[in-house]
């Protein structure tokens, strides 16, 4: 096994990060999901092959994923804002509780053992997979979005689990908001801003919390790998139109079911690794 400072090892890491970006961008365009739900499991599975110590694998995957969400969320939010699709009233009501949730989730993710973080990711990923696999496109629990404490609870939950999983607001926020009566286009647009609310403070927290940590690969700021950030972002942007093109040739419900299978397999594999 090559040492992490070896040029060939760094070249391998760069290749992995670029391919991860291509995969996340393609699936983001294909399925309308945030790249984090793809980036984290891919890196989690590849890091052991590169010899990155188990003690930092999950935290490095989550921190690097959060950093990549910042520029992609800016682009996405600007486009949705230009179309007037963002529910500004909902956003103003929910963001304070979401920030509190992000703070709780970031602190918990930094202090928890990597196995506990994997368990959180696997649990939420499995729930999202079940939701996507067994509900229709227009499934909802009620016709109106809660206000007051109910909405604050939703915001806190989205912020906490998203920060711990290394994902933007879309993966958890869109299905929750749509289930509680928010029209799907508005849920997608508003959740693009969630990505910024979550990723910026959480990334700062992962940099601070991982500062000086042992066994990190070169070019890492805390639990954020700069090689990953520099390669995942442009490659995912490059690949997103590929996914959009594919989305127009495959039925939406079939896409939803396929991604549910991907998430379920990822979650089961994580649970298997934790148990055995």
């Amino acid at each position: 096994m090559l040492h992490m400072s070896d040029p060939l090892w760094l070249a391998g890491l760069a290749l992995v990060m670029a391919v991860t970006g291509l995969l996340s961008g393609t699936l983001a365009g294909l399925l309308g999901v945030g790249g984090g739900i793809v980036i984290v499991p891919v890196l989690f599975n590849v890091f052991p092959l590169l010899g990155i110590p188990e003690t930092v694998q999950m935290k490095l995957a989550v921190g690097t994923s959060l950093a990549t969400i910042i520029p992609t969320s800016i682009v996405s939010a600007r486009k949705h804002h230009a179309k007037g699709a963002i529910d500004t009233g909902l956003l103003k009501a929910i963001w304070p509780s979401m920030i509190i949730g992000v703070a709780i989730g970031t602190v918990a993710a930094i202090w928890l053992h990597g196995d506990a973080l994997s368990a959180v990711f696997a649990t939420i990923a499995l729930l999202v997979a079940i939701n996507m696999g067994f509900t229709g496109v227009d499934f909802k629990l009620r016709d109106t979005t809660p206000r007051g404490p109910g909405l604050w609870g939703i915001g806190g939950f989205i912020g906490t689990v998203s920060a711990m999983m290394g994902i933007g607001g879309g993966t958890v926020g869109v299905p929750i908001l749509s289930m509680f009566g928010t029209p799907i286009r508005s849920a997608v647009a508003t959740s693009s801003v969630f990505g910024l609310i979550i990723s910026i403070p959480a990334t700062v927290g992962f940099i601070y919390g991982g500062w000086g940590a042992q066994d990190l690969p070169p070019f890492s700021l805390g639990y954020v790998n700069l090689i990953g950030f520099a390669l995942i972002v442009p490659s995912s942007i490059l690949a997103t139109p590929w996914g959009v093109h594919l989305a127009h040739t495959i039925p939406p419900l079939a896409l939803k079911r396929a991604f549910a299978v991907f998430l379920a397999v990822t979650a089961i594999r994580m649970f298997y690794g934790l148990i055995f």
Side-chain angles (χ1 to χ4, degrees):
M1 178 68 68
L2 296 172
H3 190 271
M4 288 194 291
S5 61
D6 190 288
L8 287 177
W9 188 92
L10 291 172
L13 177 66
L15 177 62
V16 165
M17 295 299 188
V19 171
T20 299
L22 293 175
L23 286 173
S24 67
T26 300
L27 287 177
L30 187 64
L31 301 167
V33 297
I37 197 66
V38 180
I39 293 170
V40 173
V42 169
L43 295 183
F44 176 79
N45 284 289
V46 172
F47 279 168
L49 303 179
L50 292 172
I52 294 177
E54 183 180 355
T55 53
V56 299
Q57 287 171 9
M58 192 62 180
K59 294 181 181 181
L60 188 66
V62 170
T64 302
S65 174
L66 286 165
T68 66
I69 292 169
I70 297 174
T72 54
S73 291
I74 291 173
V75 173
S76 178
R78 288 184 62 184
K79 289 182 178 179
H80 284 298
H81 178 68
K83 293 180 179 295
I86 297 172
D87 187 335
T88 55
L90 173 62
L91 189 61
K92 290 177 181 178
I94 201 173
W95 78 262
S97 61
M98 191 172 292
I99 285 288
I100 294 172
V102 170
I104 293 171
T106 302
V107 171
I110 291 170
W111 285 101
L112 285 174
H113 190 273
D115 285 349
L117 207 55
S118 298
V120 171
F121 189 99
T123 300
I124 301 301
L126 188 59
L127 291 174
V128 172
I130 292 171
N131 172 263
M132 297 185 76
F134 294 99
T135 62
V137 175
D138 299 320
F139 172 78
K140 59 183 178 180
L141 296 175
R142 53 180 287 173
D143 295 327
T144 57
T145 306
R147 295 293 171 176
L151 184 62
W152 303 337
I154 291 173
F157 177 78
I158 293 173
T160 300
V161 299
S162 296
M164 295 182 74
M165 293 177 68
I167 60 177
T171 301
V172 178
V174 170
I176 288 179
L177 291 181
S178 61
M179 281 192 298
F180 283 99
T182 302
I184 186 63
R185 293 186 185 278
S186 179
V188 171
T190 306
S191 291
S192 69
V193 185
F194 291 175
L196 284 175
I197 296 172
I198 293 163
S199 61
I200 293 176
T203 298
V204 173
F206 271 82
I207 291 174
Y208 178 80
W211 199 267
Q214 300 297 313
D215 301 323
L216 289 171
F219 303 103
S220 293
L221 284 179
Y223 292 123
V224 175
N225 184 259
L226 297 181
I227 294 176
F229 176 79
L231 292 175
I232 290 174
V233 172
S235 59
S236 64
I237 292 174
L238 172 67
T240 298
W242 306 346
V244 172
H245 176 73
L246 288 173
H248 290 280
T249 63
I250 304 174
L253 191 58
L255 295 175
K256 186 177 179 183
R257 299 290 191 255
F259 189 62
V261 171
F262 166 79
L263 282 182
V265 170
T266 297
I268 291 169
R269 187 187 180 282
M270 284 185 170
F271 280 129
Y272 182 85
L274 291 170
I275 296 171
F276 300 102

